[in-house]
Amino acid sequence: MVSKEIVGLLLAGGQGSRLGILTTEMAKPAVPYGGKYRIIDFPLSNCINSGIDTVGVFTQYQPLELNAHIGIGKPWDLDRVNGGVTILSPYQKSGNSEWFKGTANAVFQNIHYIDKQNPEYVIILSGDHIYKMDYSKMLDAHKKKNADATISVFEIPLEEAFRFGIMNTEEDGKVYEFEEKPAKPKSNLASMGVYIFTWEVLRQYLIDDNNNKESDYDFGKNIIPNMLKDDKRLFAYSFEGYWKDVGTIQAYWESNMDLIERVPEFNLFEQDWKIYTVNPVMPANLIGPTGSSTHSIVAEGCMVYGSVKNSVIFPGVYIEEGARIEDSIVMSGSYICKNAYIKKSILCEKVRIEEGVNIGLGDDIVNELKPDIYNNGISVIGEKAIVPKDTVIGKNVVIDRDVTADDYENLQVASGATIAKGGTE
Amino acid sequence: MKTALGIIITGGNNLKLKELSAKRSVSAIAYGGRYRAIDFVLSNMINSGIKKVGVVTQYSYRSLMDHLGSGKEWDLDRKTGGLFLFPPYLSGEGSGWYKGSADGMYHNLSFLKRSKEEYVVIGTGNCIYKMDFKELIDRHEKSNADISVCCRDMSDIDAEEIKHFGMVQIDDNGRIYEMLEKPNNPKGTLASMGIYCLKRTLLMELLEESASKGLYDFVRDILIRKTSELHIKGCVFDGYWRSMSSVPMFYKTNMELLDPAIRKELFLDGGKIFTKVKDEAPAKYNDEANISNSIVADGCIIEGEVINSVLFRGVKVAKGVVIKDSIIMQNTEVMENAKLTNVILDKEVVISEGKELKGESTFPLVVGKRVII
């Protein structure tokens, strides 16, 4: 077998709990984004566009959607005879069987997969970020510096540095210190969670880390600090461009809205760095005689007889006459009936909004049950939920998935309320 | 269900389609913002459980080959069955260009010989319709006919166009007793849709027989010649069906997709219509976009006014542009303040700033591939 110079290792097992009901039944990397994509499409497309044709995807939390999406990797041209995409999930072993205990442990448990590819380098990626990056340039830098590890960093405002893992570097980019969420940051270089390692070096660190019962088995918390301790050659690699962690409802919403700008900073229309995904089998969208669409992106299969403004509409959404959608994200297969008004909300897949419903009106009161998740005025309607005729829904409201008309006590759902299947929790 | 294989006859070029067919087979003609005509017959076959399809092609087939590829979009990249492409080939005996539809099939007789399927469904590649061939095969089997020919009342199509169809007369039992190819004065409005069902073994016999007599055309030399000898049954279909055989028909057919009932029949009811998809971003509408009653494919960026039009993927419409009653094919760019009415722009056309083009609703203006105006 031909050995690969570099193998991609994509950590896609995280829940992304701060995305609330978006991730109840799917892992964060599977969350729909930008009108037709899922978050994982970005690192996967970056891999193939960078010439990396062998990618292991680590899954653990709710992998069904993710597995179905990735399949054998056709959309990314990763259905290869030699290499391609491989889904790596926790498995039973003779002796002890366990879940992936951390990011480094996930890779450790699959050392045999990597050994089989026999690569010189591995690149560790996460399925949490929206960005376009040429990993081959980063690999060039790694080789040029003769590094053991290269960590991709993003310059952030210094006042926000306390929220990130910060790399303190010498002039030539050599990392001398890594601080996780420092109270007094010395630099503004935040780690993006994208690492290139020389495989031989990393392999030993993974084995040693696994033997340490005290470890968190995490790249950021253990492997990188251990390598620094041993004076290994770690270098920062500066990335410039659009890079967003879409880990919270607010960040997710904002990043989607970035796409509708006239010339977005993050442009999905660039032909030389396409983002691939499973394409829906649907006809082109139809804007009806009574329909309109401005400052928005609208995917295939949509039929728009109402008005769409400042919004991102996924495939197969039907918007009836008189319905108005503003500042919102509407996912695949949702149906919006006549004269409904939806403002600054996220509608998950196959939601049904009946006639005359209003969503996103009223005072900005944070969600009572989960104030740390729903606190930016955005209401979220879960998958396959129904909002019955003439219901008025406030801000920061959560309508859980599969909620039906019977679950509503009355037609007024105040800001900050939550409606769950079978009554309020 | 009885097993069947599919054969698609992709036809020659068509002078009536002018520039639209100059560089592509009529089966590769664009439709509905993202499709090519052949997607319909092919998807109908797949949705009807046909797992093996031969495509007989001759004229300008590069664009068609490119579109079909390995057949993976139609789930036809199979080890057993799948997609077979039959362009003309050279060999020792009687080879070269196909002289007609029967000749095209005869030259690939080994495809039929090696197959085991009991029935064959033959269709042409340039028509837009949704049909369940399972039902056709069932009806054929029950009727005990030798050949079933799908027919349709074409009274919703312009009389001039009907002259180019094969007109059929059927008796009370549904048997075809007369079939005329492109008559000048057609009797009635019942025409053949170019869709046939028959036993594979019978098809092989008929093809061998006509080849031995130096006859080449399936309609003229087999169906019409043998109308009385064989039991040929007319299977009447009452759904939507269009043949994009001329510029006005191409225009009309594309425009009709703005009708939600037709969109529903073709795309939402029954199986899906599959096509080769390019990975484009969803359509983007900027602030000034003023769009009404139009179809817009992925990859489009709209900043102007678009009314009653069909835009294929990757079309750019700049500010101040007004597009009315037009069909704009893929990757065409319409620059600031251009005005287009009743035009068909083929792919990768560039309309520069302020240009005005106007055709007639009965005869739209056609601009060929990669023309810059």
Side-chain angles (χ1 to χ4, degrees):
Chain A
M1 179 158 165
V2 186
S3 56
K4 298 284 179 181
E5 183 181 29
I6 182 161
V7 166
L9 301 172
L10 180 43
L11 303 163
Q15 177 183 359
S17 55
R18 287 173 305 154
L19 283 173
I21 57 169
L22 297 185
T23 57
T24 317
E25 294 205 0
M26 66 176 86
K28 180 176 167 189
V31 169
Y33 173 86
K36 72 184 283 195
Y37 307 94
R38 291 178 188 266
I39 296 170
I40 197 168
D41 292 334
F42 294 87
L44 275 180
S45 300
N46 286 341
C47 278
I48 198 71
N49 288 336
S50 305
I52 299 173
D53 64 6
T54 307
V55 183
V57 179
F58 296 86
T59 62
Q60 176 153 285
Y61 176 80
Q62 290 282 8
L64 179 64
E65 291 273 351
L66 206 51
N67 291 345
H69 182 66
I70 294 170
I72 57 167
K74 260 189 190 179
W76 305 271
D77 218 5
L78 285 170
D79 53 331
R80 296 298 170 106
V81 175
N82 180 6
V85 70
T86 307
I87 303 232
L88 303 166
S89 40
Y91 55 94
Q92 269 200 323
K93 307 163 196 70
S94 61
N96 72 320
S97 298
E98 55 195 356
W99 294 101
F100 296 151
K101 291 179 287 186
T103 51
N105 182 253
V107 178
F108 170 80
Q109 289 196 39
N110 288 286
I111 276 185
H112 54 285
Y113 162 77
I114 304 155
D115 282 346
K116 216 172 146 186
Q117 314 296 334
N118 191 24
E120 266 178 79
Y121 309 100
V122 295
I123 181 162
I124 310 284
L125 306 164
S126 71
D128 298 346
H129 301 104
I130 303 296
Y131 65 118
K132 292 190 215 174
M133 178 174 180
D134 189 345
Y135 304 137
S136 69
K137 287 188 183 151
M138 182 174 168
L139 180 61
D140 290 343
H142 181 83
K143 289 194 264 189
K144 206 169 154 197
K145 299 272 190 192
N146 197 19
D148 296 308
T150 300
I151 298 136
S152 180
V153 294
F154 187 76
E155 284 186 38
I156 43 141
L158 198 59
E159 57 273 21
E160 283 182 39
F162 69 94
R163 298 196 291 119
F164 291 87
I166 297 295
M167 297 288 161
N168 298 322
T169 60
E170 287 160 14
E171 261 176 33
D172 63 349
K174 190 166 189 297
V175 179
Y176 66 87
E177 191 183 21
F178 171 72
E179 292 180 292
E180 184 72 36
K181 298 181 181 161
K184 285 186 184 152
K186 291 175 215 150
S187 107
N188 66 340
L189 300 177
S191 166
M192 295 163 59
V194 174
Y195 313 105
I196 289 178
F197 291 100
T198 301
W199 173 235
E200 213 185 328
V201 177
L202 176 65
R203 196 177 186 282
Q204 194 53 50
Y205 274 88
L206 291 174
I207 294 169
D208 295 345
D209 178 58
N210 190 61
N211 291 332
N212 177 4
K213 298 292 169 247
E214 307 288 296
S215 178
D216 288 314
Y217 311 104
D218 187 86
F219 279 101
K221 284 183 199 148
N222 308 102
I223 303 290
I224 299 291
N226 290 346
M227 288 177 105
L228 281 171
K229 225 183 289 167
D230 296 346
D231 228 5
K232 289 284 171 193
R233 291 177 63 80
L234 272 66
F235 285 85
Y237 173 81
S238 274
F239 171 77
E240 282 166 21
Y242 188 92
W243 178 75
K244 283 280 160 76
D245 182 345
V246 288
T248 63
I249 295 278
Q250 172 76 7
Y252 172 79
W253 180 84
E254 275 175 7
S255 178
N256 272 282
M257 292 302 143
D258 287 344
L259 299 174
I260 63 178
E261 292 309 318
R262 177 182 299 282
V263 182
E265 189 193 344
F266 190 67
N267 194 343
L268 295 172
F269 285 81
E270 281 167 4
Q271 296 294 315
D272 58 348
W273 201 271
K274 277 198 176 187
I275 303 302
Y276 300 97
T277 188
V278 179
N279 283 300
V281 181
M282 288 187 189
N285 73 58
L286 171 70
I287 310 287
T290 53
S292 70
S293 173
T294 53
H295 204 237
S296 295
I297 58 179
V298 181
E300 292 97 307
C302 290
M303 294 180 77
V304 180
Y305 291 89
S307 81
V308 174
K309 200 174 154 191
N310 304 335
S311 295
V312 174
I313 314 291
F314 283 72
V317 171
Y318 196 106
I319 299 165
E320 288 187 357
E321 195 174 338
R324 287 180 297 149
I325 300 190
E326 285 174 19
D327 309 322
S328 295
I329 299 165
V330 183
M331 293 186 200
S332 315
S334 288
Y335 197 102
I336 323 292
C337 297
K338 275 195 184 112
N339 304 324
Y341 176 58
I342 293 159
K343 173 99 181 156
K344 205 175 177 187
S345 299
I346 299 171
L347 274 50
C348 295
E349 290 179 16
K350 302 192 185 83
V351 162
R352 184 177 170 84
I353 307 294
E354 296 187 341
E355 235 176 286
V357 164
N358 280 279
I359 302 179
L361 305 181
D363 300 328
D364 194 350
I365 299 165
V366 299
N367 189 269
E368 289 163 20
L369 293 176
K370 303 216 167 119
D372 51 332
I373 294 177
Y374 309 100
N375 50 25
N376 287 285
I378 301 163
S379 285
V380 186
I381 317 295
E383 198 176 318
K384 297 194 192 111
I386 295 169
V387 181
K389 195 164 179 274
D390 298 327
T391 306
V392 178
I393 290 178
K395 293 182 173 139
N396 296 314
V397 168
V398 178
I399 309 290
D400 209 351
R401 48 183 296 138
D402 300 317
V403 161
T404 59
D406 300 339
D407 299 314
Y408 294 79
E409 277 165 22
N410 57 56
L411 298 183
Q412 298 289 326
V413 182
S415 291
T418 298
I419 293 185
K421 183 82 191 135
T424 310
E425 281 171 43
Chain B
M1 179 203 157
K2 293 288 172 191
T3 56
L5 60 84
I7 292 180
I8 298 173
I9 312 281
T10 61
N13 74 332
N14 185 332
L15 296 175
K16 284 180 284 142
L17 276 166
K18 298 192 162 175
E19 291 88 342
L20 298 176
S21 150
K23 289 191 178 117
R24 56 173 83 95
S25 153
V26 290
S27 298
I29 295 282
Y31 172 76
R34 61 183 310 186
Y35 299 93
R36 288 179 185 264
I38 198 169
D39 294 336
F40 288 82
V41 62
L42 207 46
S43 300
N44 284 334
M45 285 181 173
I46 301 318
N47 293 333
S48 307
I50 293 174
K51 297 184 175 74
K52 188 178 191 180
V53 179
V55 178
V56 181
T57 178
Q58 168 145 298
Y59 178 80
S60 278
Y61 53 78
R62 193 203 54 78
S63 62
L64 195 60
M65 294 273 205
D66 179 45
H67 182 66
L68 297 174
S70 65
K72 71 175 173 186
E73 273 84 0
W74 298 268
D75 217 8
L76 282 173
D77 54 334
R78 298 288 110 195
K79 285 196 176 178
T80 310
L83 183 69
F84 295 79
L85 295 173
F86 300 129
Y89 59 92
L90 283 172
S91 76
E93 34 177 316
S95 56
W97 298 113
Y98 301 147
K99 300 184 192 78
S101 53
D103 194 41
M105 288 191 272
Y106 176 73
H107 270 90
N108 298 289
L109 202 63
S110 53
F111 170 68
L112 290 168
K113 278 186 182 159
R114 280 184 209 144
S115 297
K116 292 192 176 62
E117 285 79 359
E118 190 170 1
Y119 292 97
V120 181
V121 173
I122 302 172
T124 55
N126 63 334
C127 300
I128 305 299
Y129 63 105
K130 171 82 78 54
M131 190 190 280
D132 184 357
F133 293 137
K134 271 201 299 271
E135 208 183 302
L136 170 65
I137 298 163
D138 276 354
R139 277 165 77 178
H140 175 71
E141 197 173 24
K142 284 196 187 107
S143 71
N144 288 318
D146 295 308
I147 304 175
S148 288
V149 175
C150 294
C151 310
R152 184 177 177 274
D153 178 356
M154 300 294 181
S155 50
D156 61 342
I157 293 174
D158 190 62
E160 272 307 300
E161 293 294 332
I162 295 183
K163 284 185 182 167
H164 304 295
F165 294 160
M167 305 309 292
V168 299
Q169 303 293 323
I170 58 176
D171 66 18
D172 293 344
N173 299 318
R175 183 170 173 171
I176 295 178
Y177 62 88
E178 187 186 70
M179 192 163 179
L180 293 170
E181 181 85 324
K182 301 173 186 168
N184 274 330
N185 297 302
K187 282 186 265 175
T189 49
L190 195 65
S192 161
M193 296 162 70
I195 302 162
Y196 319 107
C197 178
L198 70 169
K199 280 207 163 128
R200 180 178 55 89
T201 46
L202 175 63
L203 176 63
M204 293 192 315
E205 280 166 31
L206 293 170
L207 292 174
E208 280 178 326
E209 188 192 329
S210 58
S212 70
K213 292 180 185 160
L215 302 170
Y216 309 114
D217 190 77
F218 188 75
V219 177
R220 189 187 64 221
D221 300 327
I222 295 178
L223 294 179
I224 294 180
R225 241 167 213 274
K226 292 187 174 279
T227 308
S228 51
E229 190 184 320
L230 294 171
H231 181 173
I232 303 178
K233 174 127 178 139
C235 260
V236 179
F237 175 77
D238 52 13
Y240 181 80
W241 178 90
R242 291 288 181 263
S243 168
M244 294 199 289
S245 49
S246 64
V247 170
M249 274 312 283
F250 167 83
Y251 181 75
K252 176 180 157 80
T253 307
N254 269 284
M255 286 303 177
E256 278 176 349
L257 188 55
L258 290 170
D259 178 345
I262 292 169
R263 182 180 169 102
K264 183 170 179 292
E265 179 177 338
L266 291 175
F267 296 106
L268 304 179
D269 297 343
K272 290 178 174 173
I273 302 298
F274 300 91
T275 187
K276 179 178 173 182
V277 182
K278 291 275 166 69
D279 296 81
E280 299 276 0
K284 185 158 184 287
Y285 301 90
N286 286 346
D287 286 335
E288 304 81 358
N290 181 359
I291 180 150
S292 146
N293 201 34
S294 295
I295 288 169
V296 180
D298 43 337
C300 286
I301 300 179
I302 314 290
E303 300 192 317
E305 194 175 336
V306 180
I307 301 162
N308 302 331
S309 296
V310 177
L311 271 51
F312 284 69
R313 68 179 177 82
V315 171
K316 311 269 180 295
V317 178
K319 275 186 239 177
V321 166
V322 180
I323 298 177
K324 273 187 193 159
D325 305 310
S326 295
I327 297 168
I328 317 287
M329 292 195 217
Q330 67 198 58
N331 296 329
T332 282
E333 193 173 353
V334 185
M335 295 184 176
E336 273 87 354
N337 303 317
K339 307 265 182 291
L340 307 174
T341 310
N342 294 319
V343 299
I344 299 172
L345 305 183
D346 205 326
K347 68 181 197 181
E348 287 157 31
V349 167
V350 176
I351 303 293
S352 44
E353 270 182 61
K355 283 279 180 300
E356 294 193 20
L357 296 178
K358 197 169 186 312
E360 295 299 321
S361 62
T362 46
F363 215 93
L365 182 75
V366 181
V367 178
K369 229 173 175 176
R370 298 194 188 96
V371 170
I372 296 171
I373 291 179

